[in-house]
Amino acid sequence: MNKEEYKNIFVFVEQREGKIQNVGLELLGKARELADNLGQDVYALFLGANIKAQAQDLIAYGADKVLLVEDESLAVYTTEPYTQAIAQLINDKKPSIVLIGSTTIGRDLGPRVAARVNTGLTADCTKLEINEEDKELWSTRPAFGGNLMATIICPNHRPQMSTVRPGVMQKMAKDEGRKGEVIEEKIAFNKDKFKVKVLETVKKESKVDITEAKVLVSGGRGVANKEGFKKLEDLAKELKGEVASSRAMVDAGIMPHERQVGQTGKTVRPNLYVACGISGAIQHLAGMESSEFIVAINKDKFAPIMQVADLGIVGDLQKIVPMLTERLRAELK
């Protein structure tokens, strides 16, 4: 393989029912940073049906070119059509790096594309950077249950592929004045290999997405029970935020998984993160340490969460949280 033939960064921009998912915009922002380091361009891969009107938005968020593929086979995500399309684009355009969101769709799509184009894939990355010496992509992710961080390289194959969880990277501010090019691509689908057809989509009742919350009040083992979380809910209400949880409380059956923050839950980046009774194991920190302002309430002043907190309160959360709630209620009247 002649690695010199491979350049530029591809970002798969996921859409569902025509709505662009935030993780794609976040990855465009990171790709812009990496591409500027390499002196290369950012290509957005935008696949679906009747989505052309939104392609210009991807340029505003950092793409230099948008490879637009519109086909009825791509209207609803199924593995084979999307894999064929992206594999063809990679083989034709030869990107150096391909980034995909680590969503339910991305986790299905990424490994299959990597296998088709004969390269490796680093999953669930928390950090992406370009090594200044050889200009290789360094992809860092938690390993061994989150007890260490592994930096993985792909020196012998191209493209270098990584998936990244929603909320890990920051999207650029939208710049309506950015110039770029939308290129309409046609894919030679082998429809004989299409074995799955979506007959109906049944949606669950909508749930709160904690990755979108600006304020999170999160509880750990120290909260103890559902009554303890009721106190956190009262505080979150005054802060106009949402309640989240560590894995311990999800495993105990007290909180649902969709509210879990951490390596095996969701990665969040709120303006304010209030950690109540959370010790701060590395698995939890991986999901929230990029929060803008962190307040920790814990009996143990030496708990790891105190090392990342902007403000630490040492004491019993069962007493402190209601006091904070009452004070806020009085101040905000």
Side-chain angles (χ1 to χ4, degrees):
M1 172 175 284
N2 181 7
K3 294 194 293 185
E4 297 300 319
E5 294 180 358
Y6 291 77
K7 64 178 183 178
N8 302 318
I9 300 177
F10 277 15
V11 174
F12 171 64
V13 178
E14 184 179 322
Q15 57 80 22
R16 300 190 186 204
E17 297 183 338
K19 182 180 179 182
I20 295 171
Q21 302 299 293
N22 268 337
V23 66
L25 304 181
E26 293 163 4
L27 291 179
L28 284 176
K30 186 61 182 181
R32 178 76 272 147
E33 177 189 323
L34 299 175
D36 289 344
N37 185 306
L38 294 168
Q40 298 178 5
D41 288 337
V42 175
Y43 284 65
L45 306 182
F46 197 36
L47 285 66
N50 302 314
I51 56 172
K52 183 177 180 179
Q54 299 176 72
Q56 193 64 36
D57 286 344
L58 305 183
I59 294 170
Y61 279 106
D64 298 298
K65 294 180 171 63
V66 179
L67 301 182
L68 175 67
V69 184
E70 289 195 303
D71 191 284
E72 283 305 315
S73 302
L74 304 170
V76 178
Y77 176 81
T78 52
T79 306
E80 186 61 26
Y82 271 73
T83 301
Q84 285 191 26
I86 294 177
Q88 284 187 41
L89 291 172
I90 289 173
N91 289 330
D92 180 40
K93 307 291 184 184
K94 291 182 165 53
S96 175
I97 296 169
V98 176
L99 304 179
I100 298 174
S102 190
T103 60
T104 51
I105 286 177
R107 288 176 175 175
D108 177 68
L109 179 65
R112 293 172 187 272
V113 171
R116 296 277 173 97
V117 300
N118 192 32
T119 192
L121 173 72
T122 307
D124 280 353
C125 298
T126 57
K127 184 179 181 182
L128 300 172
E129 58 188 326
I130 301 297
N131 178 31
E132 291 302 325
E133 290 184 13
D134 54 18
K135 296 300 182 180
E136 297 276 340
L137 176 68
W138 285 17
S139 302
T140 302
R141 56 152 295 156
F144 292 99
N147 292 308
L148 60 82
M149 303 300 284
T151 298
I152 299 170
I153 60 173
C154 183
N156 300 321
H157 295 81
R158 289 294 183 270
Q160 304 160 95
M161 289 184 63
S162 298
T163 63
V164 181
R165 284 187 187 188
V168 172
M169 305 300 175
Q170 273 191 302
K171 62 184 178 183
M172 291 172 46
K174 189 175 183 181
D175 180 2
E176 299 282 6
R178 283 195 86 251
K179 302 297 182 184
E181 183 181 4
V182 177
I183 304 168
E184 296 187 44
E185 298 280 348
K186 293 296 181 185
I187 301 299
F189 288 109
N190 180 354
K191 296 191 177 182
D192 290 339
K193 293 188 176 182
F194 292 3
K195 304 299 184 185
V196 175
K197 183 178 181 181
V198 177
L199 299 179
E200 182 184 7
T201 300
V202 179
K203 296 182 181 180
K204 284 187 177 181
E205 185 179 342
S206 61
K207 297 174 181 176
V208 172
D209 184 359
I210 60 172
T211 64
E212 299 290 331
K214 299 299 183 185
V215 176
L216 282 175
V217 179
S218 191
R221 205 181 301 274
V223 178
N225 49 40
K226 289 186 177 181
E227 288 70 27
F229 271 98
K230 178 64 173 65
K231 295 174 183 176
L232 269 57
E233 289 171 8
D234 292 341
L235 177 58
K237 183 178 179 182
E238 295 302 321
L239 292 169
K240 295 181 172 58
E242 296 292 341
V243 174
S245 170
S246 70
R247 178 174 176 172
M249 294 291 95
V250 174
D251 288 348
I254 294 172
M255 291 294 284
H257 183 263
E258 64 263 19
R259 290 186 182 265
Q260 181 183 328
V261 173
Q263 184 188 339
T264 54
K266 294 184 177 180
T267 300
V268 298
R269 194 193 292 264
N271 296 337
L272 173 63
Y273 189 88
V274 184
C276 305
I278 296 173
S279 63
I282 189 171
Q283 294 93 331
H284 187 80
L285 297 182
M288 48 66 69
E289 60 187 346
S290 295
S291 302
E292 191 169 317
F293 195 88
I294 300 169
V295 176
I297 305 173
N298 203 291
K299 287 181 178 179
D300 181 6
K301 66 179 179 181
F302 298 111
I305 192 73
M306 293 297 191
Q307 304 304 310
V308 300
D310 297 284
L311 174 64
I313 303 174
V314 180
D316 184 353
L317 71 89
Q318 303 291 354
K319 297 178 181 178
I320 293 170
V321 169
M323 288 169 62
L324 279 175
T325 304
E326 287 303 318
R327 182 65 179 267
L328 283 168
R329 195 170 287 148
E331 293 286 339
L332 296 174
K333 273 186 178 179

